[in-house]
Amino acid sequence: TFEGPVVGPLSKDEFVNAIGSVDFDTAFPNWTPQFYGFHVDPLEAGANRVWYTARGEGKNDGPLLPFAPEPTGATVVNPPQVCSLTIDHETGLITKYTIGYVTDRSVGNTGGLGGLYGILYAIGRPLPFPEAQPWKMSWQYGFFQKIGSLLR
C-alpha cells in the first residue's frame, strides 16, 4: 500500500496508475533528489521498516500534466519529509510505502506541504482544496489558544 499524510491508503495498482500519469522527469529535467538518514526502525516488529528523509530541488522547465500544461520556470525547494518502506523479508517485496510527512514546514518554498501538493504549490499551481494548501490556523484552534492564554 501507499500512504501519505492525506493521500491513501492506495493499493499497488492504484499507486502505479496515479504516479504513472505524472511525467515528473519532463517537468523537472534537472531535479536533484536528496535522500539521506536511512535506518531500520528498532521498534518495529520484525525489523522490517526502513525510515529515511527526502528533500530535493529543481526548476520546472517542462509541462507537469495534467496540473501545469506549460512550464512555470519556478524552482522548487522541498522541505525535509520523512518516508518509509516496509519490507516483507520472505518475499523481499515492499508492502507499504509512505511519503510526504514534512518535519519542518518553514524549510523550502512548498508552503510546508510535502509530496506532489508541495511541488504544485511551489510552481504556483496549487490544487483547490484545503489539504493542498499551506497550514492555516482554524478559528477553533485560535479560540482554544486564546482561552489557554487567559488561564495562565
Side-chain angles (χ1 to χ4, degrees), residues 16-150:
V16 168
N17 287 336
I19 201 71
S21 69
V22 178
D23 187 354
F24 193 81
D25 290 339
T26 296
F28 293 91
N30 65 345
W31 186 260
T32 303
Q34 300 162 330
F35 301 103
Y36 57 93
F38 289 82
H39 63 279
V40 175
D41 188 334
L43 305 177
E44 189 84 21
N48 64 345
R49 194 168 199 174
V50 175
W51 292 95
Y52 63 96
T53 301
R55 292 183 73 170
E57 56 185 64
K59 185 176 177 190
N60 178 219
D61 286 331
L64 183 59
L65 299 174
F67 308 104
E70 298 293 326
T72 64
T75 296
V76 175
V77 179
N78 266 335
Q81 302 169 55
V82 173
C83 308
S84 76
L85 300 168
T86 303
I87 302 161
D88 179 331
H89 289 298
E90 289 184 23
T91 64
L93 298 175
I94 295 169
T95 59
K96 186 175 185 181
Y97 175 38
T98 67
I99 68 163
Y101 294 89
V102 173
T103 60
D104 185 346
R105 61 187 167 149
S106 69
V107 174
N109 65 348
T110 67
L113 300 166
L116 184 60
Y117 293 170
I119 291 167
L120 292 173
Y121 179 83
I123 67 170
R125 301 288 192 271
L127 295 174
F129 44 85
E131 293 82 0
Q133 303 295 317
W135 182 83
K136 188 173 125 182
M137 185 182 296
S138 67
W139 70 265
Q140 296 94 333
Y141 186 53
F143 181 71
F144 179 77
Q145 291 289 319
K146 286 187 190 328
I147 290 174
S149 66
L150 292 173

